[in-house]
Amino acid sequence: MDDGHGRGATPRRSSRPEDRIHAAMARLEEELRFVLENCCNDIDVESLVDLRSLSTRSSVSMGDEIGCSPGDETGGRDDSKAESPPSLASAAAVEEAVGAGSTITRSSYRSTPSIRVVDLLPPDAVEDLRSIVDRMFAAGHGWECARAYGAARKEAVELCLTRLGVDGLEIGDVQRLEWEVLEANIRRWIRAARVCVRVVFASERRLCELVFDGLTDDAPFTEAVKSAALQLFGFAEAVSTGRRSPEKLFKMLDLHDAMADLLPDIAAVFQSCLSSEPIYIQAAEILPKLTEAIREIISEFETAVLLDPPKTPVPGGNFHPLTRYVMNYLGLISEYEPALVELIATSPSASSRFSDTDAAAAAAAQIDVPELENQTPLAAHLTWIIAALHHNLESKASLYRDNALSHLFLMNNLHYIVQKVNASPELRAMIGDEYLRRLKGRYRQLATGYQRATWARILHCLSYEGVHVAGKLSSGVSMSTLRERFRDFNAAFEEVHRTQATWFVPDAQLREELRISIAEWLVPAYRGFLGRYRHLVENGRHPGTYIKYSVEDLELALSDFFEGSPASVNRRRFHRMTTP
């Protein structure tokens, strides 16, 4: 006789009551598996990955309980169905189909605003399962029933993980992944975890309650999802305990934010019963591990910035790669300020951090950072990192043999630091104006130092001192000294022009400001010297040998400075002065 599901007739019964009960239970278990494996709704979990309502806990969703009625789903809003795709629904329809006389009660755990429940089975299939379960428990075979249910649903849950791209990697496998691969896996994991917790696990929990309510605890649910949940959260744990490196910070923060966002939902799904609570505990323990990892990465980054060894000077005094890297890194950190302010609880302390590292302790002791009132520990750390970078750059500047180029290198890099801070409102608010004033003051010192190192000797050639000789009968000027001064000036200026045209100031405004500053020193001095003694040289022999450049020639030559390429020199020519 057909059983209504297309299966064959019942085998001949045994005469022994216990045998008949055993056979009946085996048949009911077979029925249970058949319904679970063949009557499931086809849920496209991949389509839920980018669902807006799953990406944040602030979205409007179902009411305080997953089993709420449609009118209660959004606290009285009539547009609640517009918030959810067609495949998502409350379990109210299932409860109605089971009937008012059923022993099924409302959900025993509280939902959160971001949980979305899908109907894993149609209502008539849920009713069939409940009938089978009632009979198996009544016959004393509840354990076998729960085991069979868990095994069948376990396969479905693990298939969801596979479809969502969650790989079954061991902790060691995760920690050995190349960073680019791991980074992609973290992005995929965050999207998948939202669907798993807020849709898959929550829906499994609700289905289990509809089928087993009043008969057992959540052991069938735990059996169904435990393997998948441990695999899912095991990935996050593996990342949290892996090797620390600066490039991992921001994905660690994304992972921390995702876990913190999901934890109330994980608690809602897993925390209400003993058998599934260990899953919640494992997930909850990941957050402090991620927090510790984030703190260690920032601390190690500070040390790396402080101790980055000087190697070879950057050609032309350009930005050092460390400067670019650190300031871009701090710019990204400032974008995570809301999360990091809560995670970074203590200000940097050189004495405690570097007590076991002599080199770091010695370097850190030389760093003077202002302590601002009401400054957050995060802001103190970022200021300290910039101070450590400044200290390191001062060390790197000593690699240059030319003192003027050393000053220019520091000017370039400090100017870049100030620019990057000013470009980020968040970063500027944390660093504060007082420390920026310190950097600008140091920058002005460097500008003065550059001018003295380069132009003091050249301007000495244009000094009147020593040109006039007492006792001369005519002009009182030593022509030999005068010619030597012009000759020395020409040689010195040509050398500086040739050299500093290859030096590089990347910022156009700073480059122009330096040229103007040089011109304000050089041009008036040359104009005055030339105006005072030109007629004497021109009245002598070979004046063009000594007076090679006009004031306009010098101004033109200054436009070659700091272009970073000798080719710029070849694009311009000094105009040789011609005698009338």
Side-chain angles (χ1 to χ4, degrees):
M1 181 176 178
D2 190 79
D3 62 1
H5 287 294
R7 294 184 291 277
T10 304
R12 187 170 55 185
R13 294 178 179 177
S14 168
S15 58
R16 297 175 56 193
E18 59 270 22
D19 291 340
R20 288 198 302 271
I21 293 175
H22 180 76
M25 293 302 104
R27 183 53 185 261
L28 285 174
E29 185 174 328
E30 181 184 347
E31 290 279 350
L32 182 77
R33 290 180 180 276
F34 181 87
V35 174
L36 289 171
E37 293 172 0
N38 295 278
C39 300
C40 296
N41 289 329
D42 185 17
I43 306 300
D44 183 11
V45 291
E46 296 98 319
S47 67
L48 304 178
V49 166
D50 296 317
L51 188 64
R52 178 181 60 83
S53 59
L54 293 179
S55 63
T56 174
R57 301 196 67 251
S58 63
S59 59
V60 177
S61 177
M62 304 175 67
D64 286 340
E65 296 180 293
I66 289 183
C68 62
S69 63
D72 296 332
E73 286 182 357
T74 59
R77 283 182 49 171
D78 294 331
D79 59 346
S80 58
K81 291 184 180 179
E83 289 287 327
S84 303
S87 61
L88 302 181
S90 82
V94 176
E95 293 182 354
E96 290 179 8
V98 172
S102 170
T103 61
I104 297 179
T105 62
R106 297 172 71 81
S107 177
S108 64
Y109 72 101
R110 308 288 284 180
S111 175
T112 68
S114 48
I115 284 180
R116 299 291 193 273
V117 171
V118 299
D119 292 327
L120 299 175
L121 277 76
D124 58 341
V126 175
E127 190 173 6
D128 288 344
L129 288 174
R130 178 68 191 197
S131 176
I132 295 169
V133 168
D134 281 339
R135 282 180 283 170
M136 293 188 71
F137 271 79
H141 284 253
W143 183 84
E144 293 85 349
C145 176
R147 181 191 60 184
Y149 175 93
R153 291 309 305 167
K154 177 182 177 181
E155 294 179 7
V157 174
E158 291 179 349
L159 179 60
C160 286
L161 255 69
T162 301
R163 289 179 175 176
L164 290 169
V166 178
D167 299 323
L169 298 174
E170 299 292 335
I171 289 181
D173 296 331
V174 173
Q175 294 176 347
R176 283 190 293 270
L177 291 175
E178 293 293 331
W179 170 238
E180 292 76 12
V181 177
L182 181 58
E183 187 178 22
N185 282 353
I186 292 174
R187 284 195 298 267
R188 185 164 56 248
W189 184 92
I190 291 172
R191 295 193 297 267
R194 290 173 180 145
V195 176
C196 286
V197 172
R198 292 171 173 165
V199 179
V200 177
F201 296 159
S203 300
E204 288 291 341
R205 177 66 185 267
R206 184 57 184 161
L207 176 63
C208 180
E209 289 188 340
L210 290 171
V211 173
F212 288 95
D213 187 66
L215 297 175
T216 184
D217 60 11
D218 63 351
F221 162 72
T222 304
E223 180 66 24
V225 304
K226 181 177 181 180
S227 175
L230 294 179
Q231 177 183 330
L232 181 73
F233 300 134
F235 174 85
E237 184 174 9
V239 174
S240 72
T241 57
R243 186 178 64 86
R244 281 70 160 120
S245 57
E247 71 273 10
K248 294 183 179 180
L249 174 63
F250 304 106
K251 280 302 165 195
M252 286 278 197
L253 283 165
D254 290 341
L255 192 58
H256 182 280
D257 286 351
M259 284 299 302
D261 186 50
L262 283 171
L263 200 57
D265 304 312
I266 297 171
V269 174
F270 292 106
Q271 201 179 9
S272 61
C273 209
L274 289 177
S275 65
S276 61
E277 189 172 16
I279 298 174
Y280 166 77
I281 292 173
Q282 182 202 12
E285 289 175 346
I286 295 171
L287 267 182
K289 292 178 182 177
L290 286 169
T291 299
E292 183 62 26
I294 289 166
R295 290 171 178 168
E296 288 182 7
I297 288 175
I298 291 178
S299 178
E300 291 174 12
F301 180 70
E302 292 171 351
T303 305
V305 172
L306 180 65
L307 299 182
D308 184 70
K311 297 174 183 176
T312 56
V314 178
N318 199 349
F319 301 144
H320 196 282
L322 180 67
T323 306
R324 289 182 181 272
Y325 179 72
V326 170
M327 295 312 300
N328 288 331
Y329 196 83
L330 295 187
L332 289 173
I333 285 180
S334 68
E335 295 178 7
Y336 285 83
E337 180 186 6
L340 280 169
V341 161
E342 297 182 6
L343 299 180
I344 306 302
T346 58
S347 297
S349 171
S351 59
S352 61
R353 182 187 310 156
F354 302 123
S355 58
D356 58 344
T357 308
D358 292 341
Q366 301 177 44
I367 296 176
D368 179 26
V369 181
E371 295 184 5
L372 304 180
E373 187 177 356
N374 299 324
Q375 187 181 44
T376 65
L378 173 63
H381 277 274
L382 300 193
T383 306
W384 200 94
I385 290 172
I386 292 178
L389 173 62
H390 182 189
H391 176 82
N392 193 303
L393 290 171
E394 295 276 357
S395 175
K396 287 176 167 53
S398 65
L399 295 172
Y400 293 95
R401 295 182 179 179
D402 190 319
N403 198 30
L405 183 55
S406 175
H407 289 314
L408 187 74
F409 166 77
L410 276 174
M411 287 173 61
N412 271 332
N413 284 268
L414 292 185
H415 185 268
Y416 180 80
I417 291 171
V418 172
Q419 274 194 322
K420 294 295 285 188
V421 172
N422 284 331
S424 168
E426 299 84 2
L427 190 56
R428 173 159 188 169
M430 286 189 282
I431 299 304
D433 291 336
E434 181 178 345
Y435 190 69
L436 284 179
R437 282 194 293 270
R438 284 195 186 188
L439 292 178
K440 292 175 181 177
R442 176 59 177 148
Y443 163 82
R444 286 191 291 270
Q445 289 177 353
L446 292 165
T448 302
Y450 158 78
Q451 289 178 336
R452 288 175 177 169
T454 299
W455 299 103
R457 180 171 59 91
I458 294 176
L459 290 174
H460 177 71
C461 298
L462 304 177
S463 170
Y464 303 144
E465 184 180 352
V467 174
H468 292 265
V469 180
K472 286 284 186 180
L473 297 178
S474 56
S475 64
V477 172
S478 170
M479 291 304 298
S480 61
T481 300
L482 183 61
R483 293 188 185 100
E484 184 180 356
R485 290 289 183 86
F486 273 109
R487 189 165 48 241
D488 289 346
F489 172 83
N490 295 337
F493 183 78
E494 288 167 4
E495 173 62 25
V496 169
H497 176 267
R498 183 177 67 255
T499 301
Q500 297 198 13
T502 65
W503 294 0
F504 189 43
V505 176
D507 184 79
Q509 181 178 349
L510 177 59
R511 186 166 60 244
E512 189 59 28
E513 287 176 358
L514 281 172
R515 290 170 178 168
I516 292 171
S517 176
I518 294 168
E520 288 175 349
W521 276 43
L522 179 65
V523 172
Y526 187 73
R527 180 184 288 114
F529 195 82
L530 187 63
R532 186 164 185 172
Y533 300 115
R534 176 176 180 172
H535 68 284
L536 296 176
V537 176
E538 288 179 344
N539 289 333
R541 300 176 58 185
H542 311 297
T545 303
Y546 307 104
I547 304 178
K548 297 173 67 173
Y549 308 116
S550 68
V551 172
E552 291 74 17
D553 289 328
L554 295 188
E555 291 174 334
L556 179 63
L558 291 178
S559 64
D560 287 332
F561 279 50
F562 316 124
E563 291 289 338
S565 171
S568 63
V569 180
N570 297 329
R571 288 195 298 268
R572 306 180 187 274
R573 295 178 180 273
F574 289 150
H575 299 295
R576 290 289 182 87
M577 291 185 63
T578 57
T579 54

